[in-house]
Amino acid sequence: MKLTIEELMLQILSTCLLINAQGKWHAFYSLFGHVGDIDVRLRPTDYNYDADHPKKTPSKSAGFTSTGFFPERITEEQARQERLDLLSWTQGYLNVEAAA
């Protein structure tokens, strides 16, 4: 069964919420509808948000659709694969031991 765009996007968001609940990472889910992108950023819970020179932290993005700005940028299958890759990457930050 192929998941819809919406189902994949909600699964990525849900995974971010679960990551936040674990208390090790702050997960940020950003939707940029005008360019058809989703972005997930992670910060350790002890991250210094006031630092002048922020540390590089994990992040990954995926396209979810072509837009008026980028009508030929991505095919439906490419976008689907990017969303699946983003979901898999995001799930890699879940502590499965805590769920057992």
Side-chain angles (χ1 to χ4, degrees), residues 5-100:
I5 291 172
E6 294 83 3
E7 288 169 328
L8 281 168
M9 292 169 70
L10 287 171
Q11 283 189 7
I12 296 165
L13 175 59
S14 177
T15 302
C16 288
L17 293 171
L18 291 170
I19 291 168
N20 284 328
Q22 291 177 155
K24 183 176 178 183
W25 295 96
H26 296 152
F28 298 86
Y29 175 102
S30 300
L31 174 68
F32 303 99
H34 67 296
V35 292
D37 279 332
I38 306 165
D39 181 57
V40 174
R41 294 173 288 118
L42 298 168
R43 305 289 184 263
T45 54
D46 63 352
Y47 186 81
N48 181 359
Y49 289 93
D50 294 324
D52 288 336
H53 302 288
K55 292 188 287 182
K56 181 128 175 92
T57 56
S59 66
K60 188 167 177 68
S61 63
F64 65 86
T65 189
S66 292
T67 66
F69 288 111
F70 303 105
E72 308 272 329
R73 181 178 74 94
I74 192 167
T75 67
E76 185 176 331
E77 192 52 42
Q78 287 171 322
R80 177 177 164 65
Q81 189 57 55
E82 284 189 18
R83 289 187 310 272
L84 286 169
D85 292 346
L86 180 57
L87 176 60
S88 178
W89 178 84
T90 305
Q91 288 173 335
Y93 286 89
L94 286 174
N95 180 358
V96 291
E97 297 164 1

